[in-house]
Amino acid sequence: MEPTAHVSKTALPGVGTRYDLKTDAGAHLSVVVHQDGRRILAFHDPEDDDACKDAAALAPHEATALSKLLVPDPVAHLHQHIEIDLVTEHIPVTKRSPYAGRLLADTQARTRTGASIVAVLRRTAAFPSPTPDFRFAIGDTLVVVGTREGVDAVAELITGG
Amino acid sequence: MHDTTALLIELGSIILALGLLGRLAGRIGFSPIPLYLLAGLAFGHGGLLPMNASEEFIATGAEIGVILLLLLLGLEYSASELVTNLKTQYPSGIVDFVLNALPGAVAALILGWGPVAAVALAGVTWISSSGVIAKVLGDLGRLGNRETPVILGVLVIEDLAMAVYLPLLTALLAGLSLAGGSLTLLISLGTVSIVLYVALRHGRLISRAVSSDNPEMLLLVVLGLTLFVAGIAQELQVSAAVGAFLVGIALSGEVAEGAHNLLAPLRDLFAAVFFVFFGLSTDPADIPPVLVPALILAVVTALTKVATGWYAARRAGIGPRGRLRAGGTLVARGEFSIVIAGLAVGVEPRIGPLATAYVLILVIIGPLTARWTEPIGRRFLRTAATPPKEPTLPLEPADTASTPT
């Protein structure tokens, strides 16, 4: 079993949420997740644990880049055991899409491509596991999982390419 | 037609001046609020450039400014945040009220302004400026600090307390009898509890009813709803600002975020107009006589805010240095002191110049105390400590006197 690190969470009303992590080596880090999507990475002062010695504000794309560097690659780890090659893609339903306003069943996506539409994201809410009678609207984003070829085929169907 | 031309020219010059002042403030790294107030003073009665044509428009804009300030404040908080904060931090809220509202009330009584003005001035000295403080915390890179949730918690309680205080003040200013005042208070308390309950239980329903994929529709619906509710609240003597605040709390999640982004620029515009309006209605000649009381009040209430922060941070088990930082950060007063003073000007005209001078002092000093209270206080603690023990070493969890939370 791998050891799990303990992260504590504190709400910052009107600002966002703070997550604290104390490493085994004794360093104290905190990450503030701002409501506007920024992340602030702070290192606590060893002399005064209540205060931050350094704080770096990260824009969303910078935070994403940093997280990619920090995450031990779980997919590579999977590859050694199982030959699985799934990709996930977000496919937007645009004005030009032949399926805008039609049902999920009409696409016959799984039968035709082997890839599945596992969720639909709308600006107002997310719909996990949409049923065949789910009606797409312009502006939806479909989350599609499957093989590379399958996902590309779904993208072609939906965008009407 | 001629009136419209004059209106456009006056309004254009005011807003342009505000924009340039705001840029200047940004360059120095200051809150633009004091500059807006000064601009209002310069334009208004007894100022350099009397404005006549645009006065009515600016007065209406100022109303809308207050409503939008509170709406966006409400949008920042979710109902659950408010309730948890109230549960965990209410002793700090009470200490905050006692230490900071009383000096204002006492000052008004000493000046012989009567009990209603005392209640108003108590509010002016009580409420810290969420806007200035949130910005200062970000600028100083302290959002990750342990004392920050404590500071924000005190601000949340103050903002929630406004929902009770403003209706009370409105009732007193309207000269309602005790029975009428209690009825108003009951109505507002009832409304606050109902809104909090609905927002906690059925927040998603409200948000879904308001939500729209089209930003234009969302803007119109939220703005229209807010103005409508604010008007109804005013009609019920509950104060328009509180109505707007409650609308903000009731909206949550995606809708709140979308509405926040859409309305923030509008808020900035109308809030600036509000500060100018407040300056306009204050005659610069009235300020020098109240300068001394304002200065004394500023010094006293700066110290009481430091004490408040110290107490609140100690309850959360934070070391002495963090307590000083929390206290120093809470000093800044700003938009709400002006909102409260703006309501009370009708009853006691002298409260306007006093509040202007007071806020000008504290909005400028606030960011400085946030930065320097800890280093100066530490030196002071060190010299005060007779045994050569370091009183500044933290890592001692809650000290003996603090109550467990």
mmCIF file with all atom_site columns, all heavy atoms in Angstrom, chain B residues 71 74-75 77-79 199 203 206-207 210-211 222 225-226 246-253 255-256 259:
data_model
loop_
_atom_site.group_PDB
_atom_site.id
_atom_site.type_symbol
_atom_site.label_atom_id
_atom_site.label_alt_id
_atom_site.label_comp_id
_atom_site.label_asym_id
_atom_site.label_entity_id
_atom_site.label_seq_id
_atom_site.pdbx_PDB_ins_code
_atom_site.Cartn_x
_atom_site.Cartn_y
_atom_site.Cartn_z
_atom_site.occupancy
_atom_site.B_iso_or_equiv
_atom_site.pdbx_formal_charge
_atom_site.auth_seq_id
_atom_site.auth_comp_id
_atom_site.auth_asym_id
_atom_site.auth_atom_id
_atom_site.pdbx_PDB_model_num
ATOM 1   N N   . LEU B 1 71  ? -25.465 43.499 -3.650  1.00 0.00 ? 71  LEU B N   1
ATOM 2   C CA  . LEU B 1 71  ? -25.819 42.308 -4.426  1.00 0.00 ? 71  LEU B CA  1
ATOM 3   C C   . LEU B 1 71  ? -24.561 41.467 -4.664  1.00 0.00 ? 71  LEU B C   1
ATOM 4   O O   . LEU B 1 71  ? -24.538 40.255 -4.442  1.00 0.00 ? 71  LEU B O   1
ATOM 5   C CB  . LEU B 1 71  ? -26.431 42.702 -5.770  1.00 0.00 ? 71  LEU B CB  1
ATOM 6   C CG  . LEU B 1 71  ? -26.577 41.552 -6.767  1.00 0.00 ? 71  LEU B CG  1
ATOM 7   C CD1 . LEU B 1 71  ? -27.651 40.585 -6.321  1.00 0.00 ? 71  LEU B CD1 1
ATOM 8   C CD2 . LEU B 1 71  ? -26.886 42.043 -8.166  1.00 0.00 ? 71  LEU B CD2 1
ATOM 9   N N   . GLY B 1 74  ? -23.361 39.685 -1.663  1.00 0.00 ? 74  GLY B N   1
ATOM 10  C CA  . GLY B 1 74  ? -24.163 38.493 -1.418  1.00 0.00 ? 74  GLY B CA  1
ATOM 11  C C   . GLY B 1 74  ? -23.797 37.361 -2.368  1.00 0.00 ? 74  GLY B C   1
ATOM 12  O O   . GLY B 1 74  ? -23.771 36.199 -1.981  1.00 0.00 ? 74  GLY B O   1
ATOM 13  N N   . LEU B 1 75  ? -23.479 37.697 -3.616  1.00 0.00 ? 75  LEU B N   1
ATOM 14  C CA  . LEU B 1 75  ? -23.121 36.667 -4.598  1.00 0.00 ? 75  LEU B CA  1
ATOM 15  C C   . LEU B 1 75  ? -21.824 35.958 -4.199  1.00 0.00 ? 75  LEU B C   1
ATOM 16  O O   . LEU B 1 75  ? -21.618 34.797 -4.519  1.00 0.00 ? 75  LEU B O   1
ATOM 17  C CB  . LEU B 1 75  ? -22.940 37.297 -5.986  1.00 0.00 ? 75  LEU B CB  1
ATOM 18  C CG  . LEU B 1 75  ? -24.201 37.696 -6.742  1.00 0.00 ? 75  LEU B CG  1
ATOM 19  C CD1 . LEU B 1 75  ? -23.836 38.384 -8.036  1.00 0.00 ? 75  LEU B CD1 1
ATOM 20  C CD2 . LEU B 1 75  ? -25.068 36.482 -7.033  1.00 0.00 ? 75  LEU B CD2 1
ATOM 21  N N   . TYR B 1 77  ? -20.844 35.132 -1.257  1.00 0.00 ? 77  TYR B N   1
ATOM 22  C CA  . TYR B 1 77  ? -21.035 34.167 -0.178  1.00 0.00 ? 77  TYR B CA  1
ATOM 23  C C   . TYR B 1 77  ? -22.138 33.195 -0.540  1.00 0.00 ? 77  TYR B C   1
ATOM 24  O O   . TYR B 1 77  ? -23.124 33.574 -1.139  1.00 0.00 ? 77  TYR B O   1
ATOM 25  C CB  . TYR B 1 77  ? -21.453 34.874 1.115   1.00 0.00 ? 77  TYR B CB  1
ATOM 26  C CG  . TYR B 1 77  ? -20.503 35.925 1.595   1.00 0.00 ? 77  TYR B CG  1
ATOM 27  C CD1 . TYR B 1 77  ? -20.964 37.156 2.016   1.00 0.00 ? 77  TYR B CD1 1
ATOM 28  C CD2 . TYR B 1 77  ? -19.137 35.680 1.635   1.00 0.00 ? 77  TYR B CD2 1
ATOM 29  C CE1 . TYR B 1 77  ? -20.095 38.122 2.464   1.00 0.00 ? 77  TYR B CE1 1
ATOM 30  C CE2 . TYR B 1 77  ? -18.266 36.645 2.079   1.00 0.00 ? 77  TYR B CE2 1
ATOM 31  C CZ  . TYR B 1 77  ? -18.749 37.869 2.495   1.00 0.00 ? 77  TYR B CZ  1
ATOM 32  O OH  . TYR B 1 77  ? -17.893 38.823 2.939   1.00 0.00 ? 77  TYR B OH  1
ATOM 33  N N   . SER B 1 78  ? -21.967 31.951 -0.117  1.00 0.00 ? 78  SER B N   1
ATOM 34  C CA  . SER B 1 78  ? -23.093 31.030 -0.237  1.00 0.00 ? 78  SER B CA  1
ATOM 35  C C   . SER B 1 78  ? -23.760 30.977 1.134   1.00 0.00 ? 78  SER B C   1
ATOM 36  O O   . SER B 1 78  ? -23.138 31.270 2.159   1.00 0.00 ? 78  SER B O   1
ATOM 37  C CB  . SER B 1 78  ? -22.594 29.656 -0.642  1.00 0.00 ? 78  SER B CB  1
ATOM 38  O OG  . SER B 1 78  ? -21.818 29.106 0.379   1.00 0.00 ? 78  SER B OG  1
ATOM 39  N N   . ALA B 1 79  ? -25.022 30.592 1.135   1.00 0.00 ? 79  ALA B N   1
ATOM 40  C CA  . ALA B 1 79  ? -25.779 30.576 2.382   1.00 0.00 ? 79  ALA B CA  1
ATOM 41  C C   . ALA B 1 79  ? -25.117 29.662 3.416   1.00 0.00 ? 79  ALA B C   1
ATOM 42  O O   . ALA B 1 79  ? -25.055 29.993 4.600   1.00 0.00 ? 79  ALA B O   1
ATOM 43  C CB  . ALA B 1 79  ? -27.204 30.115 2.121   1.00 0.00 ? 79  ALA B CB  1
ATOM 44  N N   . ALA B 1 199 ? -32.321 29.371 0.499   1.00 0.00 ? 199 ALA B N   1
ATOM 45  C CA  . ALA B 1 199 ? -31.061 29.276 -0.235  1.00 0.00 ? 199 ALA B CA  1
ATOM 46  C C   . ALA B 1 199 ? -30.297 28.018 0.157   1.00 0.00 ? 199 ALA B C   1
ATOM 47  O O   . ALA B 1 199 ? -29.630 27.402 -0.671  1.00 0.00 ? 199 ALA B O   1
ATOM 48  C CB  . ALA B 1 199 ? -30.221 30.517 0.026   1.00 0.00 ? 199 ALA B CB  1
ATOM 49  N N   . GLY B 1 203 ? -31.530 26.192 -2.989  1.00 0.00 ? 203 GLY B N   1
ATOM 50  C CA  . GLY B 1 203 ? -30.741 27.164 -3.749  1.00 0.00 ? 203 GLY B CA  1
ATOM 51  C C   . GLY B 1 203 ? -30.699 26.805 -5.222  1.00 0.00 ? 203 GLY B C   1
ATOM 52  O O   . GLY B 1 203 ? -30.726 27.670 -6.085  1.00 0.00 ? 203 GLY B O   1
ATOM 53  N N   . ILE B 1 206 ? -33.819 28.059 -7.178  1.00 0.00 ? 206 ILE B N   1
ATOM 54  C CA  . ILE B 1 206 ? -33.799 29.496 -7.483  1.00 0.00 ? 206 ILE B CA  1
ATOM 55  C C   . ILE B 1 206 ? -32.830 29.747 -8.631  1.00 0.00 ? 206 ILE B C   1
ATOM 56  O O   . ILE B 1 206 ? -33.150 30.436 -9.603  1.00 0.00 ? 206 ILE B O   1
ATOM 57  C CB  . ILE B 1 206 ? -33.355 30.310 -6.261  1.00 0.00 ? 206 ILE B CB  1
ATOM 58  C CG1 . ILE B 1 206 ? -34.247 30.001 -5.076  1.00 0.00 ? 206 ILE B CG1 1
ATOM 59  C CG2 . ILE B 1 206 ? -33.361 31.788 -6.573  1.00 0.00 ? 206 ILE B CG2 1
ATOM 60  C CD1 . ILE B 1 206 ? -33.788 30.633 -3.797  1.00 0.00 ? 206 ILE B CD1 1
ATOM 61  N N   . SER B 1 207 ? -31.648 29.158 -8.496  1.00 0.00 ? 207 SER B N   1
ATOM 62  C CA  . SER B 1 207 ? -30.635 29.405 -9.518  1.00 0.00 ? 207 SER B CA  1
ATOM 63  C C   . SER B 1 207 ? -31.121 28.908 -10.871 1.00 0.00 ? 207 SER B C   1
ATOM 64  O O   . SER B 1 207 ? -30.872 29.520 -11.898 1.00 0.00 ? 207 SER B O   1
ATOM 65  C CB  . SER B 1 207 ? -29.339 28.698 -9.146  1.00 0.00 ? 207 SER B CB  1
ATOM 66  O OG  . SER B 1 207 ? -28.852 29.244 -7.946  1.00 0.00 ? 207 SER B OG  1
ATOM 67  N N   . VAL B 1 210 ? -33.530 31.333 -12.483 1.00 0.00 ? 210 VAL B N   1
ATOM 68  C CA  . VAL B 1 210 ? -32.921 32.569 -12.973 1.00 0.00 ? 210 VAL B CA  1
ATOM 69  C C   . VAL B 1 210 ? -31.960 32.298 -14.118 1.00 0.00 ? 210 VAL B C   1
ATOM 70  O O   . VAL B 1 210 ? -31.761 33.128 -14.994 1.00 0.00 ? 210 VAL B O   1
ATOM 71  C CB  . VAL B 1 210 ? -32.178 33.268 -11.807 1.00 0.00 ? 210 VAL B CB  1
ATOM 72  C CG1 . VAL B 1 210 ? -31.389 34.453 -12.304 1.00 0.00 ? 210 VAL B CG1 1
ATOM 73  C CG2 . VAL B 1 210 ? -33.162 33.703 -10.748 1.00 0.00 ? 210 VAL B CG2 1
ATOM 74  N N   . SER B 1 211 ? -31.393 31.090 -14.103 1.00 0.00 ? 211 SER B N   1
ATOM 75  C CA  . SER B 1 211 ? -30.280 30.813 -15.004 1.00 0.00 ? 211 SER B CA  1
ATOM 76  C C   . SER B 1 211 ? -30.677 30.922 -16.471 1.00 0.00 ? 211 SER B C   1
ATOM 77  O O   . SER B 1 211 ? -31.813 30.654 -16.850 1.00 0.00 ? 211 SER B O   1
ATOM 78  C CB  . SER B 1 211 ? -29.768 29.413 -14.706 1.00 0.00 ? 211 SER B CB  1
ATOM 79  O OG  . SER B 1 211 ? -29.641 28.683 -15.882 1.00 0.00 ? 211 SER B OG  1
ATOM 80  N N   . VAL B 1 222 ? -31.220 39.133 -13.599 1.00 0.00 ? 222 VAL B N   1
ATOM 81  C CA  . VAL B 1 222 ? -30.655 39.336 -12.265 1.00 0.00 ? 222 VAL B CA  1
ATOM 82  C C   . VAL B 1 222 ? -30.772 40.797 -11.841 1.00 0.00 ? 222 VAL B C   1
ATOM 83  O O   . VAL B 1 222 ? -31.182 41.108 -10.719 1.00 0.00 ? 222 VAL B O   1
ATOM 84  C CB  . VAL B 1 222 ? -29.181 38.870 -12.213 1.00 0.00 ? 222 VAL B CB  1
ATOM 85  C CG1 . VAL B 1 222 ? -28.562 39.215 -10.880 1.00 0.00 ? 222 VAL B CG1 1
ATOM 86  C CG2 . VAL B 1 222 ? -29.104 37.369 -12.445 1.00 0.00 ? 222 VAL B CG2 1
ATOM 87  N N   . LEU B 1 225 ? -34.496 41.649 -11.212 1.00 0.00 ? 225 LEU B N   1
ATOM 88  C CA  . LEU B 1 225 ? -34.955 41.016 -9.971  1.00 0.00 ? 225 LEU B CA  1
ATOM 89  C C   . LEU B 1 225 ? -34.419 41.769 -8.764  1.00 0.00 ? 225 LEU B C   1
ATOM 90  O O   . LEU B 1 225 ? -35.158 42.060 -7.812  1.00 0.00 ? 225 LEU B O   1
ATOM 91  C CB  . LEU B 1 225 ? -34.479 39.561 -9.949  1.00 0.00 ? 225 LEU B CB  1
ATOM 92  C CG  . LEU B 1 225 ? -34.858 38.738 -8.717  1.00 0.00 ? 225 LEU B CG  1
ATOM 93  C CD1 . LEU B 1 225 ? -36.333 38.407 -8.762  1.00 0.00 ? 225 LEU B CD1 1
ATOM 94  C CD2 . LEU B 1 225 ? -34.048 37.454 -8.657  1.00 0.00 ? 225 LEU B CD2 1
ATOM 95  N N   . THR B 1 226 ? -33.124 42.118 -8.825  1.00 0.00 ? 226 THR B N   1
ATOM 96  C CA  . THR B 1 226 ? -32.507 42.775 -7.682  1.00 0.00 ? 226 THR B CA  1
ATOM 97  C C   . THR B 1 226 ? -33.129 44.139 -7.420  1.00 0.00 ? 226 THR B C   1
ATOM 98  O O   . THR B 1 226 ? -33.475 44.464 -6.279  1.00 0.00 ? 226 THR B O   1
ATOM 99  C CB  . THR B 1 226 ? -30.997 42.950 -7.933  1.00 0.00 ? 226 THR B CB  1
ATOM 100 O OG1 . THR B 1 226 ? -30.461 41.697 -8.303  1.00 0.00 ? 226 THR B OG1 1
ATOM 101 C CG2 . THR B 1 226 ? -30.305 43.454 -6.689  1.00 0.00 ? 226 THR B CG2 1
ATOM 102 N N   . LEU B 1 246 ? -29.791 39.991 0.058   1.00 0.00 ? 246 LEU B N   1
ATOM 103 C CA  . LEU B 1 246 ? -30.477 38.704 0.155   1.00 0.00 ? 246 LEU B CA  1
ATOM 104 C C   . LEU B 1 246 ? -30.625 38.054 -1.219  1.00 0.00 ? 246 LEU B C   1
ATOM 105 O O   . LEU B 1 246 ? -30.505 36.837 -1.343  1.00 0.00 ? 246 LEU B O   1
ATOM 106 C CB  . LEU B 1 246 ? -31.840 38.879 0.822   1.00 0.00 ? 246 LEU B CB  1
ATOM 107 C CG  . LEU B 1 246 ? -31.757 39.294 2.301   1.00 0.00 ? 246 LEU B CG  1
ATOM 108 C CD1 . LEU B 1 246 ? -33.138 39.489 2.871   1.00 0.00 ? 246 LEU B CD1 1
ATOM 109 C CD2 . LEU B 1 246 ? -30.996 38.255 3.109   1.00 0.00 ? 246 LEU B CD2 1
ATOM 110 N N   . VAL B 1 247 ? -30.887 38.857 -2.241  1.00 0.00 ? 247 VAL B N   1
ATOM 111 C CA  . VAL B 1 247 ? -30.959 38.288 -3.596  1.00 0.00 ? 247 VAL B CA  1
ATOM 112 C C   . VAL B 1 247 ? -29.620 37.635 -3.931  1.00 0.00 ? 247 VAL B C   1
ATOM 113 O O   . VAL B 1 247 ? -29.552 36.523 -4.456  1.00 0.00 ? 247 VAL B O   1
ATOM 114 C CB  . VAL B 1 247 ? -31.301 39.362 -4.642  1.00 0.00 ? 247 VAL B CB  1
ATOM 115 C CG1 . VAL B 1 247 ? -31.159 38.811 -6.054  1.00 0.00 ? 247 VAL B CG1 1
ATOM 116 C CG2 . VAL B 1 247 ? -32.702 39.878 -4.428  1.00 0.00 ? 247 VAL B CG2 1
ATOM 117 N N   . GLY B 1 248 ? -28.533 38.327 -3.582  1.00 0.00 ? 248 GLY B N   1
ATOM 118 C CA  . GLY B 1 248 ? -27.199 37.789 -3.853  1.00 0.00 ? 248 GLY B CA  1
ATOM 119 C C   . GLY B 1 248 ? -26.961 36.468 -3.148  1.00 0.00 ? 248 GLY B C   1
ATOM 120 O O   . GLY B 1 248 ? -26.390 35.545 -3.718  1.00 0.00 ? 248 GLY B O   1
ATOM 121 N N   . ILE B 1 249 ? -27.432 36.373 -1.905  1.00 0.00 ? 249 ILE B N   1
ATOM 122 C CA  . ILE B 1 249 ? -27.217 35.134 -1.151  1.00 0.00 ? 249 ILE B CA  1
ATOM 123 C C   . ILE B 1 249 ? -28.055 34.000 -1.747  1.00 0.00 ? 249 ILE B C   1
ATOM 124 O O   . ILE B 1 249 ? -27.610 32.855 -1.820  1.00 0.00 ? 249 ILE B O   1
ATOM 125 C CB  . ILE B 1 249 ? -27.581 35.341 0.331   1.00 0.00 ? 249 ILE B CB  1
ATOM 126 C CG1 . ILE B 1 249 ? -26.547 36.255 0.966   1.00 0.00 ? 249 ILE B CG1 1
ATOM 127 C CG2 . ILE B 1 249 ? -27.610 34.023 1.079   1.00 0.00 ? 249 ILE B CG2 1
ATOM 128 C CD1 . ILE B 1 249 ? -26.912 36.674 2.349   1.00 0.00 ? 249 ILE B CD1 1
ATOM 129 N N   . ALA B 1 250 ? -29.273 34.342 -2.184  1.00 0.00 ? 250 ALA B N   1
ATOM 130 C CA  . ALA B 1 250 ? -30.168 33.300 -2.685  1.00 0.00 ? 250 ALA B CA  1
ATOM 131 C C   . ALA B 1 250 ? -29.650 32.683 -3.983  1.00 0.00 ? 250 ALA B C   1
ATOM 132 O O   . ALA B 1 250 ? -29.912 31.518 -4.267  1.00 0.00 ? 250 ALA B O   1
ATOM 133 C CB  . ALA B 1 250 ? -31.563 33.871 -2.893  1.00 0.00 ? 250 ALA B CB  1
ATOM 134 N N   . LEU B 1 251 ? -28.913 33.450 -4.771  1.00 0.00 ? 251 LEU B N   1
ATOM 135 C CA  . LEU B 1 251 ? -28.358 32.896 -6.010  1.00 0.00 ? 251 LEU B CA  1
ATOM 136 C C   . LEU B 1 251 ? -27.053 32.195 -5.676  1.00 0.00 ? 251 LEU B C   1
ATOM 137 O O   . LEU B 1 251 ? -26.238 32.712 -4.930  1.00 0.00 ? 251 LEU B O   1
ATOM 138 C CB  . LEU B 1 251 ? -28.078 34.009 -7.014  1.00 0.00 ? 251 LEU B CB  1
ATOM 139 C CG  . LEU B 1 251 ? -29.297 34.785 -7.502  1.00 0.00 ? 251 LEU B CG  1
ATOM 140 C CD1 . LEU B 1 251 ? -28.858 35.902 -8.413  1.00 0.00 ? 251 LEU B CD1 1
ATOM 141 C CD2 . LEU B 1 251 ? -30.251 33.855 -8.237  1.00 0.00 ? 251 LEU B CD2 1
ATOM 142 N N   . SER B 1 252 ? -26.872 30.993 -6.241  1.00 0.00 ? 252 SER B N   1
ATOM 143 C CA  . SER B 1 252 ? -25.638 30.286 -5.910  1.00 0.00 ? 252 SER B CA  1
ATOM 144 C C   . SER B 1 252 ? -25.095 29.573 -7.135  1.00 0.00 ? 252 SER B C   1
ATOM 145 O O   . SER B 1 252 ? -25.732 29.550 -8.189  1.00 0.00 ? 252 SER B O   1
ATOM 146 C CB  . SER B 1 252 ? -25.916 29.271 -4.801  1.00 0.00 ? 252 SER B CB  1
ATOM 147 O OG  . SER B 1 252 ? -26.889 28.368 -5.255  1.00 0.00 ? 252 SER B OG  1
ATOM 148 N N   . GLY B 1 253 ? -23.919 29.012 -6.969  1.00 0.00 ? 253 GLY B N   1
ATOM 149 C CA  . GLY B 1 253 ? -23.338 28.155 -8.003  1.00 0.00 ? 253 GLY B CA  1
ATOM 150 C C   . GLY B 1 253 ? -23.032 28.898 -9.296  1.00 0.00 ? 253 GLY B C   1
ATOM 151 O O   . GLY B 1 253 ? -22.577 30.022 -9.296  1.00 0.00 ? 253 GLY B O   1
ATOM 152 N N   . VAL B 1 255 ? -24.900 30.256 -11.600 1.00 0.00 ? 255 VAL B N   1
ATOM 153 C CA  . VAL B 1 255 ? -25.594 31.509 -11.862 1.00 0.00 ? 255 VAL B CA  1
ATOM 154 C C   . VAL B 1 255 ? -24.900 32.650 -11.142 1.00 0.00 ? 255 VAL B C   1
ATOM 155 O O   . VAL B 1 255 ? -24.698 33.725 -11.703 1.00 0.00 ? 255 VAL B O   1
ATOM 156 C CB  . VAL B 1 255 ? -27.057 31.415 -11.390 1.00 0.00 ? 255 VAL B CB  1
ATOM 157 C CG1 . VAL B 1 255 ? -27.764 32.729 -11.589 1.00 0.00 ? 255 VAL B CG1 1
ATOM 158 C CG2 . VAL B 1 255 ? -27.759 30.323 -12.151 1.00 0.00 ? 255 VAL B CG2 1
ATOM 159 N N   . ALA B 1 256 ? -24.530 32.390 -9.890  1.00 0.00 ? 256 ALA B N   1
ATOM 160 C CA  . ALA B 1 256 ? -23.880 33.438 -9.107  1.00 0.00 ? 256 ALA B CA  1
ATOM 161 C C   . ALA B 1 256 ? -22.589 33.850 -9.795  1.00 0.00 ? 256 ALA B C   1
ATOM 162 O O   . ALA B 1 256 ? -22.283 35.043 -9.906  1.00 0.00 ? 256 ALA B O   1
ATOM 163 C CB  . ALA B 1 256 ? -23.590 32.928 -7.700  1.00 0.00 ? 256 ALA B CB  1
ATOM 164 N N   . ALA B 1 259 ? -23.421 35.788 -13.014 1.00 0.00 ? 259 ALA B N   1
ATOM 165 C CA  . ALA B 1 259 ? -23.966 37.105 -12.690 1.00 0.00 ? 259 ALA B CA  1
ATOM 166 C C   . ALA B 1 259 ? -22.864 38.001 -12.139 1.00 0.00 ? 259 ALA B C   1
ATOM 167 O O   . ALA B 1 259 ? -22.802 39.195 -12.437 1.00 0.00 ? 259 ALA B O   1
ATOM 168 C CB  . ALA B 1 259 ? -25.088 36.961 -11.661 1.00 0.00 ? 259 ALA B CB  1
#
